[in-house]
Amino acid sequence: EAQVTQNPRYLITVTGKKLTVTCSQNMNHEYMSWYRQDPGLGLRQIYYSMNVEVTDKGDVPEGYKVSRKEKRNFPLILESPSPNQTSLYFCASTVGQRYSPLHFGNGTRLTVT
Amino acid sequence: KQEVTQIPAALSVPEGENLVLNCSFTDSAIYNLQWFRQDPGKGLTSLLLIQSSQREQTSGRLNASLDKSSGRSTLYIAASQPGDSATYLCAVRRKGGGFKTIFGAGTRLFVKA
């Protein structure tokens, strides 16, 4: 089944403890992206990747890192999480920039205390 | 800067009613516009994708239109059902470098049985 898989689904951590949220897609998609969703603010783009080893900042990149060493995986790294990074995170992918829909993972709910 | 607005923020209708959700965007330099459905605590499900050169797309009881010159899209839901209750999001894929997708804050729909 074609899908975008995020792990974990739920994560509770403490301020400053490094964490990684994984994202993997099995559709051979070139483009991948991370978003955070907060009440009243909608989804905002954190980082995106247009191919292996090609990543760039979205609208809210501060406090996050990403890597794209292989086509299928696009992990989101929080080196020193803070409470303002408590949010619902989504990974998405698409085969092409212009004509193809975004496919989303099921989300990761992160709480930083 | 691209901004996407969805009106109304919330809508409650009786079962069977036809309804229209609105999405407006400020910059017409887009590749496409995509409508999503989101159930509480869940991921985003793609409903319809309209290319910038298209005027509308249909899937079952759903019809989405796009007027790029005026920066507007509508999602028409025919004969609404309680199972249609969810939050509906629109997103535009921006032209002009990078892989940028801008989301509206969504319309929360409640269909009463």
Side-chain angles (χ1 to χ4, degrees):
Chain A
E1 181 191 350
Q3 59 187 356
V4 179
T5 303
Q6 290 180 233
N7 280 298
R9 290 294 310 278
Y10 302 92
L11 181 56
I12 300 174
T13 190
V14 296
T15 299
K17 186 175 181 182
K18 182 179 178 179
L19 65 91
T20 299
V21 183
T22 64
C23 174
S24 181
Q25 49 88 10
N26 62 2
M27 297 170 278
N28 201 36
H29 284 174
E30 302 273 337
Y31 296 83
M32 299 185 74
S33 187
W34 277 102
Y35 303 86
R36 61 177 289 174
Q37 185 176 33
D38 301 290
L41 295 176
L43 277 88
R44 294 177 291 167
Q45 194 170 22
I46 303 171
Y47 268 95
Y48 63 86
S49 170
M50 297 196 288
N51 211 329
V52 175
E53 302 291 2
V54 180
T55 64
D56 206 347
K57 297 176 182 178
D59 294 319
V60 288
E62 296 78 17
Y64 304 94
K65 284 176 57 176
V66 292
S67 68
R68 187 94 181 271
K69 292 184 170 56
E70 348 164 57
K71 200 170 189 178
R72 64 184 294 125
N73 295 324
F74 189 45
L76 179 69
I77 303 156
L78 285 72
E79 297 256 343
S80 183
S82 62
N84 65 11
Q85 293 178 298
T86 292
S87 187
L88 181 58
Y89 291 85
F90 288 103
C91 178
S93 72
T94 185
V95 66
Q97 167 82 289
R98 301 188 179 200
Y99 306 118
S100 306
L102 274 174
H103 299 266
F104 276 80
N106 285 329
T108 296
R109 185 167 292 282
L110 171 65
T111 302
V112 184
T113 61
Chain B
K1 181 186 174 186
Q2 178 73 272
E3 293 181 2
V4 180
T5 304
Q6 291 188 247
I7 293 173
L11 183 61
S12 181
V13 300
E15 182 177 8
E17 190 162 300
N18 301 325
L19 58 100
V20 174
L21 307 180
N22 297 293
C23 172
S24 62
F25 49 96
T26 55
D27 187 347
S28 61
I30 63 171
Y31 287 124
N32 56 59
L33 184 146
Q34 192 170 357
W35 282 93
F36 296 89
R37 169 189 171 131
Q38 186 178 25
D39 294 287
K42 300 289 181 64
L44 279 71
T45 300
S46 179
L47 298 173
L48 290 164
L49 174 78
I50 312 178
Q51 306 299 340
S52 63
S53 58
Q54 296 176 323
R55 299 286 292 184
E56 66 179 293
Q57 282 285 341
T58 298
S59 176
R61 293 183 295 110
L62 304 179
N63 176 277
S65 69
L66 175 64
D67 184 342
K68 200 173 69 162
S69 61
S70 67
R72 292 192 298 183
S73 176
T74 61
L75 179 67
Y76 174 83
I77 302 177
S80 58
Q81 303 168 358
D84 294 330
S85 298
T87 296
Y88 290 81
L89 299 158
C90 69
V92 297
R93 192 89 50 85
R94 231 176 60 186
K95 285 185 179 178
F99 173 44
K100 299 285 185 76
T101 303
I102 311 298
F103 283 81
T107 294
R108 184 177 295 180
L109 173 65
F110 180 63
V111 181
K112 298 172 285 189

